[in-house]
């Protein structure tokens, strides 16, 4: 790679090693061997600098022993199954996941150099596209052309290297960067919620209908204080075709794993209004008949002649798919494995890749985790209000949530007027309606069952192909109450750890398929909760 730098093979990019140090503050302590960076931002600290990498590079001494993939004689590339090769593949997956975590990417390119051979890999939310193993000693032109292409792409448009064009990196001195710094500071009008289970009173004359709560500003400040995490300006489509800008730092929520929706949640600053909002960035499942979460929320919050708007659900600000940003692995598979018809192919192999579309949604409410409830009454009130929202949604729009879980029930401040004062308490908001669908729609719309295992009904877990019905969601509310009561309230359970493990995480195997664990299934069948000492 020194030759590449000295001869400017990747004009516009420069290579730097990072094999002996990790980024300060990175709890995972991951360190890829090296990477190409923008020529103006090449690090000198010998660390990975994950937020700045353009193309990652990993070196292996062995030609084959650490190659995570295997080339068949017919040109097909498959995953190698030897232990050392599986470990090497997992290592490269974790590096790619790190890039998608710290940066805003559509794809990420990486190189694997193995002795005299190399592979190029293109990672995305559906999987990875891999080139054949090539001997660069015998054929140096292939590697040189690839390095030149990386440099050309960086000069032409960073989008060609997989950088999201709707995400603008911010640096100190930028107007938006400084606006974020200013927004961290506490304002006299901010409202504190009492940490004790007592109400907070605010004079009606001093109450802003849309106040900023201290916990929200603190959450935004927390997203900016970690120097490892970059700041961005994200564009989100609006209904009229325009876009709206939001400023974000470190995500408040990050879904684990490279493949899948890759959901990240941000406490964001609305550039136009100066208010804090919640922005969700995800690669939603992209199949026919699937409704977008924002469209579902718009239906729920629009009153009809017969029903009022559904309460205790998020208030939509804007949302939309990002143009041209969908995963390519499924399309490439279809091209390489035609199924007949007009293509004349004869393959009957099922496409193993899920289709995803990049999507953003912004809502007004920045909630608190359900685990922050202050007593049992607050817990039950929050769950009840979300249960009521679920009930009205099924009546008004015949929409079923299908992913009721502890993470999707949030606490949110509620105000009740008492003479000249407003009494502030907390209620519940039922969030994350992305898996919702109409009650009458019984056909599966995705190739795999989705939901949160710990809170799914016993019947849904025991029969993976079962269509989710109202009773399943109702049972999920029950499981939420049991989980948070056992974890955070006084109870008579003699071994809470074992109970939570067996009841919520337990499973049995039907062939090779995990299904509902014995403890949850027994509880639902007999109507009794049992710990190690019985009911």
């Amino acid at each position: 790679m020194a030759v590449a730098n000295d001869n400017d093979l990747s004009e516009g990019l420069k290579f730097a090693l990072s094999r002996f140090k990790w980024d300060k503050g990175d709890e995972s302590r991951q360190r890829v061997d090296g990477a190409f960076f923008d020529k103006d931002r090449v690090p000198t600290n010998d660390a990975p600098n994950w937020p700045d990498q353009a193309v990652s590079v990993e070196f292996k001494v062995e030609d084959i022993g650490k190659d995570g993939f295997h080339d068949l004689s017919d040109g097909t590339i498959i995953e190698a199954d030897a232990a050392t090769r599986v470990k090497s593949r997992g290592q490269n997956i974790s590096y790619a996941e790190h890039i998608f975590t710290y940066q805003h990417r559509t794809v990420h390119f990486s190189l694997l150099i193995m002795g005299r051979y190399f592979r190029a890999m293109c990672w995305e939310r559906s999987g990875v596209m891999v080139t054949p193993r090539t001997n660069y000693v015998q054929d140096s032109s292939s590697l040189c052309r690839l390095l030149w292409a990386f440099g050309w792409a960086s000069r032409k448009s960073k989008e060609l290297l997989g950088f999201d064009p709707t995400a603008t990196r911010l640096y100190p001195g930028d107007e938006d960067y400084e606006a974020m710094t200013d927004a961290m500071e506490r304002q006299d009008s901010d409202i504190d919620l009492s940490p004790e289970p007592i109400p907070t009173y605010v004079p009606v004359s001093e109450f802003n209908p849309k106040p900023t709560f201290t916990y929200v500003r603190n959450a935004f400040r927390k997203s900016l204080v970690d120097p490892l995490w970059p700041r961005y300006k994200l564009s989100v489509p609006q209904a009229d075709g325009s876009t709206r800008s939001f400023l974000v730092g470190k995500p408040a929520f990050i879904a684990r794993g490279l493949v899948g929706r890759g959901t990240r949640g941000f406490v964001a600053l609305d550039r136009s209004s100066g208010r804090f909002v919640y922005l969700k960035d995800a690669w939603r499942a992209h199949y026919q008949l699937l409704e977008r979460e924002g469209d579902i929320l718009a239906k729920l919050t629009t009153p009809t002649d017969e029903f009022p708007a559904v309460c205790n659900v998020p208030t939509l600000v804007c949302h939309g798919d990002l143009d041209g940003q969908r995963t390519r692995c499924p399309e490439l598979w279809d091209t390489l494995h035609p199924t007949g018809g007009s293509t004349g192919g004869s393959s009957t192999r099922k496409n193993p890749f899920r289709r995803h579309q990049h999507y953003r949604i912004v809502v007004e409410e920045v909630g608190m985790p359900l685990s922050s409830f202050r007593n049992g009454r607050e817990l039950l009130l929050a769950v009840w209000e979300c249960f009521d929202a679920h009930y009205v949604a099924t009546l008004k729009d015949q929409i079923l949530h299908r992913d009721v879980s502890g993470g999707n029930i949030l606490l949110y401040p509620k105000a009740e007027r008492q003479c000249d004062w407003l009494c502030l308490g907390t209620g519940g908001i039922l969030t994350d309606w992305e898996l919702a669908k109409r009650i009458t729609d019984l056909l599966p719309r995705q190739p795999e069952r989705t939901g949160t295992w710990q809170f799914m009904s016993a019947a849904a877990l025991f029969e993976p192909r079962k269509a989710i019905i109202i009773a399943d969601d109702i049972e999920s509310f029950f499981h939420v109450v049991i989980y948070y009561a056992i974890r955070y309230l006084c109870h008579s359970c003699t071994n809470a750890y074992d109970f939570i493990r067996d009841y919520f995480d337990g499973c049995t195997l039907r062939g090779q398929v995990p299904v509902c664990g014995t403890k949850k299934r027994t509880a639902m069948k007999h109507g009794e909760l049992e710990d190690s000492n019985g009911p």
Side-chain angles (χ1 to χ4, degrees), residues 233-443:
K233 177 172 69 175
L234 303 182
S235 297
V236 181
Q238 299 193 102
D240 61 4
S242 64
T243 60
R244 192 162 170 174
S245 297
F246 300 87
L247 309 180
V248 303
K250 180 180 180 178
F253 171 80
I254 304 173
R256 294 181 178 180
L258 172 66
V259 174
R261 294 196 294 271
T263 303
R264 290 181 290 180
F266 302 86
V267 179
L269 180 65
D270 186 342
R271 198 64 181 98
S272 59
S273 69
R275 292 187 51 78
F276 296 116
V277 294
Y278 192 80
L279 185 152
K280 184 165 74 171
D281 179 283
W283 289 76
R284 68 179 185 86
H286 186 45
Y287 295 95
Q288 291 183 348
L289 304 179
L290 278 179
E291 291 187 84
R292 301 180 300 181
E293 183 178 6
D295 295 328
I296 293 172
L297 287 180
K299 289 180 182 179
L300 295 176
T301 55
T302 301
T304 64
D305 294 339
E306 190 175 356
F307 292 97
V310 178
C311 298
N312 304 316
V313 296
T315 305
L316 181 66
V317 175
C318 58
H319 75 113
D321 292 331
L322 304 183
D323 288 342
Q325 297 190 25
R326 64 178 185 273
T327 53
R328 305 297 181 183
C329 281
E331 298 176 5
L332 180 59
W333 172 274
D334 289 340
T335 300
L336 297 176
H337 302 84
T339 57
S342 59
T343 63
S346 58
S347 174
T348 58
R349 298 175 65 184
K350 181 181 179 181
N351 191 327
F353 297 100
R354 299 195 69 190
R355 303 177 189 274
H356 293 277
Q357 165 69 51
H358 200 184
Y359 174 74
R360 291 193 184 119
I361 179 173
V362 180
V363 297
E364 288 186 5
E365 295 82 4
V366 180
M368 297 175 284
L370 184 58
S371 59
S372 60
F373 68 86
R374 296 172 291 188
N375 55 28
R377 182 181 182 279
E378 275 195 350
L379 169 63
L380 292 177
L381 177 62
V383 175
W384 164 253
E385 290 188 344
C386 292
F387 183 88
D388 184 63
H390 184 278
Y391 171 70
V392 177
T394 59
L395 287 180
K396 174 180 174 289
D397 298 296
Q398 289 77 53
I399 289 178
L400 198 59
H401 188 279
R402 301 198 318 138
D403 190 21
V404 174
S405 66
N408 293 340
I409 296 177
L410 300 180
L411 298 179
Y412 189 72
K414 302 289 180 70
E416 179 183 350
R417 181 162 183 167
Q418 297 180 4
C419 298
D420 294 332
W421 295 82
L422 284 176
C423 175
L424 294 180
T426 59
I429 289 185
L430 185 57
T431 64
D432 286 340
W433 290 78
E434 61 184 289
L435 299 183
K437 70 176 185 179
R438 293 187 177 277
I439 297 173
T440 55
D441 185 4
L442 299 179
L443 295 177

Side-chain angles (χ1 to χ4, degrees), residues 486-499:
I486 294 294
R487 278 207 63 180
Y488 299 102
L489 297 176
C490 295
H491 52 74
S492 60
C493 183
T494 57
N495 192 328
Y497 176 84
D498 285 349
F499 177 83

Side-chain angles (χ1 to χ4, degrees), residues 87-154:
K87 182 178 180 180
S88 176
R89 184 170 64 250
Q91 187 181 44
N92 282 276
I93 291 172
S94 68
Y95 294 155
E97 182 182 351
H98 247 52
I99 293 294
F100 277 89
T101 296
Y102 283 100
Q103 301 183 23
H104 290 265
R105 291 290 201 123
T106 55
V107 299
H108 171 60
F109 294 97
S110 67
L111 284 175
L112 177 59
I113 310 293
M114 307 158 289
R116 298 166 296 167
Y117 296 86
F118 82 94
R119 291 188 190 273
M121 293 169 283
C122 177
W123 305 89
E124 63 167 24
R125 288 298 182 182
S126 283
V128 60
M129 292 164 275
V130 185
T131 64
R133 192 166 63 100
T134 303
N135 189 320
Y136 64 87
V137 176
Q138 296 178 355
D139 179 17
S140 61
S141 62
S142 56
L143 181 57
C144 289
R145 286 197 303 269
L146 182 62
L147 296 178
W148 177 88
F150 287 149
W152 176 86
S154 72

Side-chain angles (χ1 to χ4, degrees), residues 47-227:
N49 294 275
W50 295 107
D52 300 314
Q53 290 187 20
V55 178
S56 304
V57 182
E58 179 71 4
F59 297 98
K60 300 297 182 185
V61 176
E62 303 176 43
D63 288 348
I64 297 178
K66 296 295 181 66
D67 185 358
F69 301 91
H70 180 67
D71 297 349
L72 299 180
S73 58
D74 62 357
T76 302
I77 302 174
I78 62 173
E79 296 178 333
D81 56 7
T84 56
R85 301 176 74 175
V86 170
K87 182 178 180 180
S88 176
R89 184 170 64 250
Q91 187 181 44
N92 282 276
I93 291 172
S94 68
Y95 294 155
E97 182 182 351
H98 247 52
I99 293 294
F100 277 89
T101 296
Y102 283 100
Q103 301 183 23
H104 290 265
R105 291 290 201 123
T106 55
V107 299
H108 171 60
F109 294 97
S110 67
L111 284 175
L112 177 59
I113 310 293
M114 307 158 289
R116 298 166 296 167
Y117 296 86
F118 82 94
R119 291 188 190 273
M121 293 169 283
C122 177
W123 305 89
E124 63 167 24
R125 288 298 182 182
S126 283
V128 60
M129 292 164 275
V130 185
T131 64
R133 192 166 63 100
T134 303
N135 189 320
Y136 64 87
V137 176
Q138 296 178 355
D139 179 17
S140 61
S141 62
S142 56
L143 181 57
C144 289
R145 286 197 303 269
L146 182 62
L147 296 178
W148 177 88
F150 287 149
W152 176 86
S154 72
R155 302 191 309 273
K156 182 72 172 178
S157 171
K158 291 293 192 294
E159 184 179 356
L160 297 175
L161 274 180
F163 290 90
D164 184 351
T166 67
T168 304
R169 178 80 178 268
L170 303 176
Y171 297 95
D174 292 343
E175 181 181 356
D176 289 329
Y177 188 100
E178 301 306 325
M180 297 177 76
T181 301
D182 293 341
M184 292 194 300
E185 301 302 322
R186 178 181 171 83
Q187 303 296 315
D188 293 338
S189 58
D190 290 355
I191 296 179
D192 292 315
L193 290 178
S194 172
E196 302 299 328
I198 56 176
T200 300
Y201 287 92
V202 179
V204 172
S205 59
E206 300 178 7
F207 185 72
N208 182 343
K210 292 187 176 182
T212 297
F213 293 97
T214 302
Y215 78 87
V216 177
R217 194 179 299 276
N218 288 343
F220 184 73
R221 181 185 300 111
K222 184 179 179 181
S223 74
L224 304 183
V225 295
D226 190 337

